[in-house]
Amino acid sequence: MTSPSLSDRDYELISAFLDGEVDARQKKDIEGRLSRDTQFRSAYEQMSRTRQLMRSQPLLRAPRTYTLSSKAVAALQPTKRALLSFPALLQAASAFASVVFLILFGLNWLTADRMRSAAPLASQEILLQSTELAPLELPSEVSQIAPAEEQPMAKSMPTVMPIQPIAPEIGGMGGGADERADSGVEMEAPLLEPSSGTELLAPTDTITAPARMAPLAIPGEGDVYSQQVPSEESIPESQDVSEFNETESLVRGLSQSWFIRQVLYGVLAIVFAIIAIRTGKRKD
Amino acid sequence: MDEQGLICDAQKGDLDAFNRLVLAYQDAVYTHAYRMLGDESAADDATQETFIAAYQAIKTFRGGSFRAWLFRIVTNQCYDELRRKQRHPTTPLEPLSSDDEEVESPKWLGDDSNSPEESFDQQALREAIQHCLNGLAPEFRSVVLLVDVQGMDYNEAARALGVPVGTIKSRLARARLRIQHCLQGFWELLPNEFRLVDEESP
């Protein structure tokens, strides 16, 4: 029984005192307490008997001899190659695949963020370049085309669609309508009138992005657009738009390939880990 | 036996010298493994593995207490085995009688040194102590076995377990106290001189 008045430290001192593992000062303290503290003395006696009982237990006789034969010693040599065992290799492969997966995941996360922020800027840049390189004889508002994602797409895109360079109510990004009014430029009539026989399917407020119009701008195709826009002006514009398309598809392709690699390494890491765990369990 | 000489020879690859060390320590190592694991078969395996590991690592022994070095190996083997048991618990098989009922192994029949009654009492007490040891955490069990059963001093036990002497001191006190409490339930098995409480008490 433990005495409530004795602390763990007291029992520790009693135990060490029984084994002769206390210094002279502690020994003197303990001897003093043993002579005047009955609870301390009782705890000492009980622990002393427990210790004696444990020490009275004889050593067991080994059921056999454990000496090693020269044959057994020779057989021990291949255990050095255990490092190159199949489960060990799988574990290493799993660890490697996991590390690569984590690195790729981190890189993908970083680059995806950059790509996302860079894509609209790149498209703006290309479009601005296109307007600089191929100035149509349009008012200044016309050349200020909004970025692709800011322009609403027509729900039903006609295969044959006349260019509606600018709608009076759109006025470009910078509030061109007001500027136009201030500058006094006449914009009542559209620059490019559709021919009488051409359907006007797209409403004036749903001008599509230049990228969507690019295929229509190929000269010599005989469509309405090519008939209406002078070919020497449409060629550089279509080149820039196709450049924009290439950039966009490159960005998409890169992000797709990153994603595929990420998934592949993830799957690889999981498969290796599962096999390694299963083989490890079998070994146990 | 010149232990240091045998160790030097064993380090040079002398298998006979190593085997003489094995014979000198195998009972102590087996007892420690049995007390740690509470199972003869597991103790047998742990003892075998200990001497194989000791042979493979004997060149790394840099002097000091060979016994502490050897007991460090066997204690680690036992920790590994206990962890393995915890992961994959098993039920020991007892021999079956003709009517398919388990029969306890009459171990006392194998010991002809005492009368069957004395042997039975000793066996019962040994099992009671083992029961109490099994109730201890392995870290506490190993300390009480090294100090009280193997008779190591605190420094040697600390080297064998790779812990500071202060840790040995505190773990030993707590282990002894827990065994003391546990043995209260087996007071009728204890010899008179070892009875921890008066007979009136339960």
Side-chain angles (χ1 to χ4, degrees), chain A residues 21-34:
Chain A
E21 298 273 357
V22 289
D23 57 33
R25 189 181 55 80
Q26 286 174 326
K27 191 179 174 186
K28 200 176 173 184
D29 283 351
I30 291 164
E31 283 170 348
R33 284 186 74 180
L34 284 172

Side-chain angles (χ1 to χ4, degrees), chain B residues 31-76:
Chain B
T31 303
H32 187 70
Y34 178 77
R35 292 295 194 191
M36 280 294 292
L37 301 171
D39 178 69
E40 287 174 1
S41 169
D44 182 31
D45 288 346
T47 308
Q48 180 72 74
E49 292 297 322
T50 298
F51 287 118
I52 289 171
Y55 180 79
Q56 287 175 320
I58 188 96
K59 285 179 183 170
T60 64
F61 177 66
R62 297 272 175 267
S65 168
F66 181 73
R67 184 168 70 151
W69 182 78
L70 197 59
F71 273 80
R72 186 165 194 167
I73 297 173
V74 68
T75 305
N76 286 334

Side-chain angles (χ1 to χ4, degrees), chain B:
Chain B
M1 179 185 67
D2 175 19
E3 187 175 279
Q4 284 306 317
L6 288 174
I7 292 166
C8 283
D9 289 347
Q11 284 180 322
K12 287 171 193 163
D14 184 345
L15 186 58
D16 286 340
F18 180 79
N19 280 336
R20 287 179 68 187
L21 288 168
V22 171
L23 291 171
Y25 283 104
Q26 64 180 10
D27 286 347
V29 168
Y30 176 78
T31 303
H32 187 70
Y34 178 77
R35 292 295 194 191
M36 280 294 292
L37 301 171
D39 178 69
E40 287 174 1
S41 169
D44 182 31
D45 288 346
T47 308
Q48 180 72 74
E49 292 297 322
T50 298
F51 287 118
I52 289 171
Y55 180 79
Q56 287 175 320
I58 188 96
K59 285 179 183 170
T60 64
F61 177 66
R62 297 272 175 267
S65 168
F66 181 73
R67 184 168 70 151
W69 182 78
L70 197 59
F71 273 80
R72 186 165 194 167
I73 297 173
V74 68
T75 305
N76 286 334
Q77 291 283 349
C78 292
Y79 286 162
D80 288 347
E81 179 58 25
L82 288 168
R83 273 194 288 267
R84 204 162 24 234
K85 262 188 185 172
Q86 214 168 12
R87 284 202 302 270
H88 309 289
T90 54
T91 309
L93 294 172
E94 291 289 343
L96 297 177
S97 67
S98 56
D99 50 349
D100 285 347
E101 286 192 359
E102 284 186 357
V103 179
E104 280 191 37
S105 305
K107 291 168 190 166
W108 52 270
L109 287 174
D111 186 357
D112 56 0
S113 57
N114 297 313
S115 68
E117 195 177 330
E118 282 172 337
S119 293
F120 183 82
D121 287 345
Q122 284 183 5
Q123 180 64 28
L125 178 61
R126 199 199 298 177
E127 284 178 7
I129 290 172
Q130 188 62 49
H131 172 82
C132 293
L133 282 170
N134 291 345
L136 296 175
E139 294 80 12
F140 290 84
R141 205 182 307 164
S142 57
V143 174
V144 78
L145 287 174
L146 289 178
V147 176
D148 281 344
V149 178
Q150 301 294 336
M152 288 185 181
D153 61 28
Y154 287 12
N155 281 313
E156 199 177 7
R159 278 199 297 277
L161 297 177
V163 294
V165 172
T167 306
I168 296 289
K169 216 180 255 191
S170 60
R171 282 184 186 173
L172 183 62
R174 288 167 70 183
R176 280 174 173 165
L177 208 55
R178 285 184 197 175
I179 289 173
Q180 184 181 306
H181 291 164
C182 175
L183 285 173
Q184 305 295 327
F186 301 95
W187 67 274
E188 73 279 2
L189 293 174
L190 302 176
N192 285 333
E193 65 270 26
F194 295 131
R195 295 224 169 144
L196 306 176
V197 289
D198 297 332
E199 287 196 15
E200 292 80 40
S201 317

